[in-house]
Structure formats: C-alpha cells, structure tokens
C-alpha cells in the first residue's frame, strides 16, 4: 500500500497516475504506427476518469501504458509518485497498486470461475478460508454467485466479463483500469453494473480509469471525461461532469445530463 | 453433453455414441467368420494362416503361461521406462525451446535432421553400444517417443494466449509463477496429445529392440515363434501386443480426463 498524503497547503488530492509526454509507436512489418502522440494526463487519487473516442484512437494503448503492459516510446508514467519504468524494468511495487479489467475476459480455462477470481489472492499468499469467503462475496457482488464451480467455457460472454471484474477487485487495488468492462453486457445489466461500480468506487476511494464506447455510461460514471481523437491518437478535449453522488438512473433523463451527452456526441462525430 | 438428434428432432441411433459398441463386435465377428471360411475353403497351410480357433487356443495357452507373462512385463517395463525418459526430456527441452528464441534457432536444424532419420535404423547401433540387455530397448523406446512429445510441447508453450500473459503481467507474477500457473496448464493439452502418440511409439520401439537383441520381451517371443514355425503362436503374441497398445493408449486417455477436465477433448 502506498502512503497517501494530502498536501495541507494546496488541499489537492495526491496524484495517483501521472503521464508526462507519453507516446507509443508500434513497430509493424510495414511503417511504424504511432498509436499515441506525446500525451500528458494526471489522475488524482479517488478520481473516476472515463476515456472515450472512436475505435482505433488509442484508448487501449493508453490504458496498457498506464498498466505497464507496454513500455512508452517516450515520456514517463508515474504511479503514486513512483516511476513505473526504471532501467527498462517495470517496477513491481508500483504495478501492484493497479488492477486491470481487459477488453476480453481473459479467464484461465483450466481454472473454475472461483479459482480464477481467487488467483491474485492465491499469488499473494492469502489463506484459504479468507480467500473463499472473499471470492464468494465478490461473485455475489457481480451477480454470478451461483456459478463459482463452473468452467469459464460454460458461462456466457457477459458472465465471464463479470468474473474478470471480480478478479481485478479481489486484491483491492488502489487504481482500477477498465477497458470496456461492460461492453459485452445487455443494457439492463450494464446499468446495474454502472451503479455497482459507482458504489464500490465511493466505498473504497479507488481511482478508476475506464474506457467505454457508450456516451451515457461515460456521463453517468465520470468525474471527468477525456475524449481521444485518432490518427495519431491524442487527447482532444476533456469535460468535467459535476453531478452529485450517488447518481441514479433517473439522472439520465435530466436536461443537464442530456446537454453533456449531446456535446460529447457532437464532438465525437466531428473527429471520427 | 446433449444427445445428438436427427433433423426431425428424434434421437437417431446412427448418431448415438453407443453405435461403436454394437458395430465393433459385429465387424470383428464378420472378419473372423470370413477368415474361418477362407481357411476351410482354400485349404491354406496352417503355417501360412492358422484357423481362428487355433489362434484362440494358442492365445489362451499364452495367457496361462507364466513365462509369457514375464515377457509381457519386460515389454511393459521397457516401454514405460523409455516413455518416462522421453517425457522428462521432451517436456523439459520443449519448454526451453518454446521460450528461448536463440535456442530454437540453434537446435531446430538438428532436431529436423534427427527427426527425418528412420530411427529404427539406429537400433543396431544402440545394441552395439548398450548391449543385448534391457537398456538398449529402453533407449529405443525413449528415442521414438521423444520427438512427438518435444514438438507438441514446443507448440503448446508457443500457443500461450497473449491476453493470459497480460493477466499474469498485471498481477506482477514471477517467472516461476508464470510457468506454473500459466504456461504449464496451458500447454498441457498439447503435451498430452504428444504423449498419446509417444506411448504407442515407445511400445513399437521396445518391440523392435526386442526383435533384434536379447532374450526377453514380446518382440523376442514373436521372433522365436516365427523361427519355430508356430504361426498360431505368432498370432497369439500379436494379439498380446495389440492389447498392450490399447491399454497404454487408453491409459493416456484416462490421464487426459484426470489432468485436463477443463478441456473440450476430455469430454469426447
Ligand atoms: N500491437 C500492436 N501493433 C501494431 N499496431 C497496434 C497494436 N496495438 C494497437 N495498434 C494500433 O494502434 C492504434 C490504436 O489501437 P488501440 O487498440 O489502442 O485502439 P482503441 O482505441 O482501443 O480501439 P477500440 O475502441 O477499437 O478498442 C490502432 O491504429 C491500432 O491498429
Ligand atoms: Mg480498445
């Protein structure tokens, strides 16, 4: 756990993720692809930031750079004040502050749903009774409580994705990185999951960086929405979302909500 | 698993999994009947083709003979010992080759070269080097089973899913943990497929080794029946060998269901 210190003079929350001039160019068989041009981004501790943008604009790339799954071509990534890459090596301490939910569920097919969710805890050496209690609570939380004993292949895509969310939550990381976590869910479940995510986030003061294609999901969840534009990927604009918490589904039908949503939609259409 | 159904929705016997349980005995009986009819009609010499009943008698004699069981045990030992070596080296080297680029580049030409040699051609050499005892048979069995296990392991290690790799990286897993919790289980279906091919080759290796040298094992027994012109006995030994092959093959199938119950192949 990082020591979280609030600077009393400026009264600003500490920064949990800081990107300075971070860019990514993928080498390919043909010409190298610049997926992200040099980007600055700062996410405060406890902030919920949503990334949105057209397909291929570098959202996944940005998230993987923060997670330390790929190394930036230039610039530095700081996680709670620690440089993520030192001497070309990913710093394990900084990395273990983060939990990642991928665009695909990425469950291990040889582990039951339960065992998949328990995997991070097992690797951290938590004891068995604790583990199974925690895993059951998490499965209930994401709404697949009765499926712990099943193989991943026996679950639907949406259920697998929920298990992946439970796995990322299992070790209670300070920073949650989510790449279209609810993309495979139906509208109803998606609303429920949004409300659950808001609840978890409010209870645990995690920083969340979430990628989505859904404008209403973005406006519903975010403290701040960051719009990315393609070719090459860069931050186009950012929007503060001032609604009080906890937000409810009724919020979505208010004029204020619709105004932000349509501003976003307009800008998205322009840059696509 | 749901029962297969025909287009009109009714479960058809032709699609059912019980079909082989009926057709196999029927076809076997038909073959034996044809064999019997051919032998009695053509009057072919019993040295060339003995009648089914003569073979059955010879086989029952073999079952009752303690000496024959000794030979069976020797063949089982050579097969399993050779197979075990092949497994250790095949999986070990396969894991390294699958992961270390330069090692693969360096070793591939040699592996291909040794793979295209008809390996049974090496048997006389092994006998010269390791003698007429059991060692040379174990080595032949090991050499034959080694390659399918090696190549399947390499394939398995290389087929580890990139998304799964990301999960382990994001969980800050150590090299050992990545091997134990991801690479090994993920290549297990491939390794087992290699073992399925390998165990049968091990048996062949052991038997070929016994043909050429020594005084024990089913291969030796077969050659001695041939030299004694006991063709019905020859058939009886062949039945033993076939049954042994089945036992080994199904043994691996059992392992498959034990080790990878999560895999589709375990439910077939
Ligand atoms: N491993 C890679 N090698 C080469 N190019 C890549 C690689 N990964 C991504 N790209 C390229 O980088 C750009 C950004 O990709 P990225 O996956 O970050 O987009 P995205 O915003 O997540 O898209 P989507 O909404 O469809 O998930 C794309 O043009 C893509 O082709
Ligand atoms: Mg993406």
């Amino acid at each position: 756990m990082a020591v979280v210190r609030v600077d009393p003079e400026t009264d600003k929350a500490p920064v949990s993720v800081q990107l300075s001039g971070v860019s990514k160019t993928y080498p390919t068989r043909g010409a190298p692809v610049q997926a992200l041009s040099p980007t600055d981004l700062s996410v405060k501790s406890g902030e919920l930031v949503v990334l949105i943008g057209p397909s291929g604009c570098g959202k996944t790339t940005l998230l993987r750079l923060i997670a330390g799954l790929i190394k930036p071509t230039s610039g530095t990534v700081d996680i709670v004040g620690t440089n993520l890459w030192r001497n070309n090596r990913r710093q394990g301490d900084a990395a273990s502050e983060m939990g990642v939910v991928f665009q695909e569920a990425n469950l291990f097919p040889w582990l039951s749903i339960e065992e998949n969710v328990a995997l991070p805890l097992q690797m951290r050496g938590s004891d068995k009774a604790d583990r199974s209690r925690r895993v059951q609570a998490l499965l209930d939380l994401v709404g697949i409580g009765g499926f712990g004993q099943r193989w991943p292949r026996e679950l639907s895509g949406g259920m697998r994705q929920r298990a992946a969310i439970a796995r990322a939550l299992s070790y209670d990381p300070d920073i949650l990185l989510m790449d279209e976590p609810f993309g495979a869910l139906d509208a109803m479940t998606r609303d429920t999951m949004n409300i659950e995510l808001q609840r978890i986030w409010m209870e645990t003061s995690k920083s969340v960086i979430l990628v989505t294609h859904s404008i209403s999901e973005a406006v519903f969840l975010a403290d701040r929405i960051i719009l990315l534009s393609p070719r090459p990927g860069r931050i186009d604009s950012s929007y503060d979302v001032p609604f009080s918490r906890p937000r409810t589904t009724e919020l979505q039908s208010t004029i204020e909500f619709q105004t932000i949503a349509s501003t976003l939609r307009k800008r998205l259409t322009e840059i696509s | 698993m749901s029962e297969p159904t025909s287009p009109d929705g009714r479960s058809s016997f032709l699609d059912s999994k019980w079909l082989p349980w009926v057709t196999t005995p029927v076809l076997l009986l038909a073959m034996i009947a044809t064999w019997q009819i051919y032998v009695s009609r053509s009057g072919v010499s019993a040295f060339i083709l003995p009648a089914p009943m003569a073979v059955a008698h010879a086989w029952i004699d073999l079952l009752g003979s303690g000496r024959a069981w000794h030979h069976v045990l020797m063949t089982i030992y050579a097969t399993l010992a050779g197979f075990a070596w092949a497994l250790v080296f095949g999986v070990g080297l396969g894991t390294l080759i699958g992961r270390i680029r330069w090692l693969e580049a360096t070793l591939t030409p040699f592996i291909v070269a040794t793979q295209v040699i008809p390996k049974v051609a090496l048997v006389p050499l092994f006998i010269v080097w390791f003698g007429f005892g059991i060692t040379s048979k174990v080595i032949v069995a090991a050499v034959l089973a080694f390659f399918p296990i090696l190549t399947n392991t390499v394939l398995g290690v290389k087929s580890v899913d990139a998304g799964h790799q990301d999960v382990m990286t994001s969980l800050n897993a150590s090299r050992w943990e990545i091997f134990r919790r991801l690479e090994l289980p993920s290549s297990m279906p491939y390794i087992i497929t290699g073992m399925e091919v390998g165990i049968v080759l091990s048996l062949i290796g052991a038997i070929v080794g016994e043909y050429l040298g020594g005084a024990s094992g089913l291969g030796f027994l077969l050659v001695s029946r041939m030299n004694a012109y006991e063709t019905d006995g020859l058939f009886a030994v062949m039945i033993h060998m076939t049954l042994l092959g089945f036992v080994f093959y199904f043994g691996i199938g059992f392992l498959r269901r034990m080790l990878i119950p999560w895999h589709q192949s375990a439910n077939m």
Side-chain angles (χ1 to χ4, degrees):
Chain A
M1 286 291 119
V3 184
V4 176
R5 259 186 317 117
V6 178
D7 187 343
E9 279 189 9
T10 56
D11 193 32
K12 272 187 187 158
V15 171
S16 66
V17 175
Q18 173 78 53
L19 306 189
S20 320
V22 170
S23 76
K24 181 68 193 179
T25 303
Y26 290 109
T28 62
R29 263 173 301 168
V33 176
Q34 188 175 38
L36 195 68
S37 50
T39 297
D40 298 320
L41 174 67
S42 170
V43 177
K44 290 195 283 291
S45 173
E47 197 179 10
L48 203 166
V49 172
V50 170
L51 305 176
I52 195 166
S55 187
C57 68
K59 304 181 294 295
T60 297
T61 302
L62 186 55
L63 213 65
R64 290 173 66 82
L65 282 164
I66 297 171
L69 293 170
I70 47 177
K71 202 179 166 313
T73 310
S74 71
T76 54
V77 180
D78 287 295
I79 304 299
V80 230
T82 312
N83 191 341
L84 188 54
W85 292 90
R86 218 178 291 156
N87 306 326
N88 264 338
R89 289 180 62 89
R90 182 174 175 270
Q91 298 304 113
D93 298 351
S96 54
E97 309 278 350
M98 295 182 281
V100 187
V101 179
F102 297 89
Q103 209 163 344
E104 280 97 41
N106 287 340
L107 299 176
F108 292 178
W110 51 89
L111 299 180
S112 68
I113 292 299
E114 244 167 27
E115 292 164 338
N116 265 289
V117 175
L119 180 71
L121 297 171
Q122 207 175 5
M123 283 168 55
R124 275 149 211 257
S126 89
D127 88 274
K128 204 168 171 176
D130 267 3
R131 207 157 69 207
S132 68
R133 219 173 307 120
R134 175 140 182 82
V135 166
Q136 193 50 51
L138 282 163
L139 290 177
D140 289 337
L141 175 77
V142 297
I144 50 171
F147 293 90
Q149 315 276 334
R150 302 285 194 89
W151 297 119
R153 68 174 151 92
E154 298 173 324
L155 268 61
S156 74
M159 291 158 93
R160 284 201 287 261
Q161 192 60 14
R162 286 189 260 173
I165 294 168
R167 177 177 60 189
L169 289 173
S170 67
Y171 54 103
D172 201 22
D174 286 349
I175 303 167
L176 206 51
L177 308 174
M178 309 176 93
D179 196 351
E180 299 184 39
F182 310 133
L185 304 185
D186 62 280
M188 290 290 290
T189 321
R190 194 167 181 152
D191 284 348
T192 318
M193 292 304 294
N194 282 342
I195 287 169
E196 281 304 325
L197 176 61
Q198 175 181 241
R199 192 179 61 71
I200 293 163
W201 170 76
M202 286 177 71
E203 280 175 7
T204 57
S205 71
K206 290 182 196 309
S207 316
V208 175
I209 304 178
L210 180 141
V211 171
T212 184
H213 274 134
S214 156
I215 292 173
S216 63
E217 182 168 275
V219 182
F220 181 80
L221 285 174
D223 288 330
R224 182 154 54 109
I225 298 172
I226 291 175
L227 207 152
L228 298 172
S229 66
R231 286 177 299 274
R234 73 199 115 92
I235 294 182
D236 176 79
S237 45
S238 94
Y239 306 81
D240 286 323
V241 185
F243 306 121
S244 63
R245 311 260 187 188
R247 299 171 183 171
T248 59
T249 34
E250 285 79 60
L251 177 71
Q252 304 197 10
S253 43
T254 63
I255 298 287
E256 292 84 352
F257 188 99
Q258 295 297 337
T259 311
I260 300 183
S262 61
T263 314
L264 270 172
R265 183 165 295 114
K266 187 155 166 284
R267 187 63 197 149
L268 268 170
T269 329
E270 281 166 13
I271 61 173
S272 293
Chain B
M1 273 209 169
S2 64
E3 284 296 314
T5 50
S6 56
D8 62 4
R10 274 178 305 145
S11 180
S12 148
F13 179 71
L14 283 178
D15 292 331
S16 120
K17 64 176 170 177
W18 299 112
L19 185 65
W21 292 97
V22 177
T23 50
T24 310
V26 168
L27 286 175
L28 269 178
L29 281 177
M31 272 162 61
I32 293 171
T34 317
W35 174 8
Q36 177 65 60
I37 290 166
Y38 176 76
V39 169
S40 41
R41 287 282 169 79
S42 69
V44 63
S45 148
F47 292 118
I48 306 292
L49 186 65
M53 275 320 282
V55 170
H57 280 300
W59 185 61
I60 288 163
D61 284 348
L62 207 58
L63 281 178
S65 141
R67 190 73 205 135
W69 283 109
H70 168 74
H71 290 301
V72 170
L73 284 179
M74 292 313 278
T75 302
I76 291 178
Y77 173 79
T79 306
L80 289 184
F83 180 72
W85 285 111
L87 194 60
V88 169
F89 282 100
V91 172
L93 193 62
T95 309
L96 292 177
I97 288 181
R99 263 215 315 265
I100 307 173
R101 269 275 170 75
W102 62 262
L103 194 65
E104 186 186 18
T106 317
L107 291 185
T108 300
F110 295 95
I111 290 171
V112 172
T114 35
Q115 203 159 10
V116 295
I117 298 178
K119 274 168 288 294
V120 288
L122 299 176
V123 176
L125 196 60
F126 291 143
I127 291 174
V128 171
W129 285 348
F130 303 104
F132 288 96
I134 193 87
T135 315
S136 54
K137 284 96 187 168
V138 171
I139 289 175
V140 180
V143 166
L144 256 64
F146 173 71
F147 289 100
I149 295 175
L150 175 84
T151 47
N152 276 284
T153 305
V154 172
L155 190 63
V157 171
K158 288 185 152 191
S159 313
V160 172
D161 185 79
H164 292 161
Q165 206 92 53
D166 285 346
V167 171
M168 289 311 262
T169 314
S170 80
L171 293 176
N172 213 13
S174 65
R175 194 77 212 66
W176 165 244
E177 247 162 353
I178 292 176
F179 174 71
R180 185 163 74 102
R181 297 188 190 277
L182 173 58
E183 287 166 346
L184 191 63
S186 149
S187 23
M188 203 50 115
Y190 295 86
I191 295 175
I192 288 180
T193 302
M195 286 166 72
E196 239 158 23
V197 181
I199 192 76
V200 176
L201 289 177
S202 271
L203 178 60
I204 294 175
I207 290 172
V208 171
E210 290 159 358
Y211 281 169
L212 296 188
S216 68
L218 285 176
F220 164 77
L221 201 60
L222 191 87
V223 172
S224 61
R225 289 289 190 275
M226 180 187 78
N227 291 338
Y229 295 103
E230 288 173 25
T231 313
D232 49 358
L234 193 79
F235 271 85
V237 177
M238 279 164 50
I239 294 173
H240 261 44
M241 289 173 171
T242 310
L243 292 177
L244 207 51
F246 272 116
V247 168
F248 285 140
Y249 184 81
F250 285 115
I252 302 290
F254 176 75
L255 269 185
R256 181 188 285 281
R257 278 187 295 280
M258 290 288 100
L259 293 176
I260 51 167
W262 54 273
H263 199 255
Q264 290 287 5
S265 67
N267 298 327
M268 290 194 311

